[in-house]
Amino acid sequence: MKYKAIIFDLDGVICHTDHYHYLAWKQLADKLGVYFDETINNRLRGVSRMESLEIILERLEGKLFSKEQKTEFAEEKNVIYKELLRKMSTNDLSQEVKDTLDKIRALGLKLAIGSSSKNARLILTQIGLEDFFDEISDGNNITQSKPHPEVFLKAAEYLKIEPSKCLVVEDAKAGIEAAKAAGMNSAAIGDACGYTLATYDLLTFSKLISYI
Ligand code: G6P
Ligand code: MG
């Protein structure tokens, strides 16, 4: 086998939270009177919460907010977002993803999460995978988000496996760039599919088995 471990991004790979992010940011944007739509939401994929807020506020040219106000806005969005996450359940984990994860585990590979989200553990609990992964590297243990490689390098460090033996699965171009910067191969799914920096394209999640 080419790899000893697979590091999975969470949002957009294991399950789908994009729409909940959109709904929560939309509520905040409406309150602030700033235009926000699904296209802008797509730019937030893999980007940290505070960086996402900065992207949303780009449209309010010239209007300046203090650091404290921005922290409050991000917190307000997160309260709405967490409320929406309560609707998630094991039904949000597809049979295809679950079966593929089980097969990879049976092959003896280690499995980790590499996500920019500070809500990763909550999401994993909602979908019934709270105890499934060997290690979780997320928004709580990093200082720089994707495309910086920190989140994936931390995951490899936690797993005690050298980066060159880890394969990253990602739906964000920033995540594919982060994998490359970490010295890891990557499999692109969804939005990132077709990105030239990715090692493999995954048309379906179950295809992953053929690359490991
Ligand atoms: C993931 C999502 C991003 C989100 C980020 C931070 O990477 O793809 O859209 O902004 O996590 O999420 P958080 O749950 O910490 O606000
Ligand atoms: Mg993602």
Side-chain angles (χ1 to χ4, degrees), residues 2-186:
K2 285 176 79 171
Y3 303 101
K4 291 185 181 164
I6 315 285
I7 305 173
F8 297 88
D9 172 48
L10 179 60
D11 297 299
V13 172
I14 301 293
C15 61
H16 297 275
T17 50
D18 281 27
H19 192 60
Y20 295 138
H21 277 295
Y22 169 75
L23 291 175
W25 282 125
K26 178 76 178 145
Q27 269 199 50
L28 180 77
D30 285 352
K31 190 184 139 181
L32 297 176
V34 56
Y35 179 79
F36 181 65
D37 62 18
E38 297 268 9
T39 309
I40 303 172
N41 193 56
N42 285 339
R43 287 175 57 202
L44 312 182
R45 210 166 271 143
V47 175
S48 75
R49 195 181 306 162
M50 287 311 284
E51 285 165 340
S52 299
L53 177 66
E54 293 295 347
I55 291 173
I56 290 165
L57 295 180
E58 274 172 11
R59 294 258 174 168
L60 282 182
E61 280 166 32
K63 185 145 189 199
L64 294 178
F65 293 105
S66 66
K67 205 167 168 257
E68 290 72 26
Q69 279 175 307
K70 287 181 187 173
T71 307
E72 256 177 53
F73 294 157
E75 183 50 35
E76 204 174 313
K77 178 264 173 177
N78 196 46
V79 169
I80 303 166
Y81 178 58
K82 278 166 74 172
E83 191 59 34
L84 292 167
L85 289 181
R86 288 173 55 182
K87 294 186 193 178
M88 287 187 93
S89 70
T90 49
N91 292 333
D92 289 283
L93 176 66
S94 77
Q95 199 58 50
E96 182 191 2
V97 169
K98 182 74 178 96
D99 289 349
T100 308
L101 292 175
D102 286 340
K103 281 184 194 159
I104 295 171
R105 161 127 315 141
L107 287 170
L109 280 90
K110 293 278 186 196
L111 297 97
I113 290 289
S115 162
S116 306
S117 175
K118 293 187 171 170
N119 293 302
R121 284 174 198 272
L122 169 62
I123 296 166
L124 288 170
T125 302
Q126 292 298 102
I127 61 175
L129 289 182
E130 65 272 34
D131 297 320
F132 184 83
F133 292 93
D134 297 295
E135 297 292 344
I136 295 170
S137 172
D138 65 18
N140 299 296
N141 62 254
I142 54 170
T143 53
Q144 284 159 295
S145 65
K146 301 165 189 176
H148 193 280
E150 189 180 7
V151 74
F152 295 137
L153 289 173
K154 280 274 174 208
E157 184 189 318
Y158 295 160
L159 289 166
K160 300 186 181 62
I161 292 179
E162 58 270 49
S164 62
K165 290 288 174 192
C166 296
L167 174 67
V168 166
V169 186
E170 258 291 348
D171 74 315
K173 287 182 179 170
I176 299 292
E177 290 161 13
K180 194 164 179 65
M184 300 175 185
N185 280 353
S186 60

